[in-house]
Amino acid sequence: MLREAIELHRQGRLEEAETAYRAALQGNPNDGEALRGLGAVRRMRGDLAESAALISRAHVLAPEQPKLLMMLGAVQFELGNADASRDAYERVLALDPNTAGAHTALGHIAMMQAVQPFIDTAISKTVNIPVDYDYEDFKSLYLKAWQGKLKGLA
């Protein structure tokens, strides 16, 4: 069931992927890969709170995986929880100080927190994507920009 869920997810068939991930979790509620996948699907479908909860559960099962903390940091940021987001990225760096994406994310958070009180319209931001950036995160960048009512993303 998990392989089917992953394949449906890759095909962009999110509703079917969600059903398959949930079925996989009924068989094994502690399947970290199913939790991660369902968390990614819920994020893409706009349920950030459930996404954060699922990814957090996956992280508890595999605390040595920086990728889960990267996902959690992104979701927390989307939820408006800059401090929780920063904490997740700092934990990534504690596990692997060479994770470029975590350094980049921390820089973005710091910059936005510093200037936001002085901005009354919009911020233009270029997003540089590392070569090893997770594809699911990449796909959701434009969706996030649109949901955040951004006027553009470069």
Side-chain angles (χ1 to χ4, degrees), residues 17 31 61 71 82 92 108 123:
D31 185 325
L61 296 169
M71 291 177 70
V92 168
H108 287 291
I123 298 172

Side-chain angles (χ1 to χ4, degrees), residues 39-118:
V41 167
R42 294 308 301 152
R43 177 183 179 197
M44 293 173 77
R45 297 189 76 192
D47 189 343
L48 299 176
E50 184 180 11
S51 175
L54 290 161
I55 295 166
S56 293
R57 281 180 53 202
H59 171 64
V60 167
L61 296 169
E64 73 288 348
Q65 290 189 17
K67 182 177 181 177
L68 292 169
L69 286 168
M70 287 293 294
M71 291 177 70
L72 185 58
V75 173
Q76 289 294 354
F77 189 76
E78 291 169 35
L79 282 165
N81 301 331
D83 291 337
S85 178
R86 183 176 36 260
D87 178 63
Y89 291 126
E90 288 172 349
R91 289 188 287 153
V92 168
L93 294 175
L95 291 170
D96 181 1
N98 297 316
T99 305
H103 288 287
T104 300
L106 285 171
H108 287 291
I109 292 168
M111 185 279 303
M112 291 176 70
Q113 286 182 316
V115 301
Q116 191 62 47
F118 308 104

Side-chain angles (χ1 to χ4, degrees), residues 89-145:
Y89 291 126
E90 288 172 349
R91 289 188 287 153
V92 168
L93 294 175
L95 291 170
D96 181 1
N98 297 316
T99 305
H103 288 287
T104 300
L106 285 171
H108 287 291
I109 292 168
M111 185 279 303
M112 291 176 70
Q113 286 182 316
V115 301
Q116 191 62 47
F118 308 104
I119 304 295
D120 62 355
T121 54
I123 298 172
S124 175
K125 190 76 177 102
T126 299
V127 180
N128 295 310
I129 307 297
V131 173
D132 62 348
Y133 197 72
D134 182 69
Y135 181 69
E136 293 305 319
D137 290 336
F138 175 77
K139 283 187 351 185
S140 68
L141 284 176
Y142 284 93
L143 178 61
K144 286 185 245 175

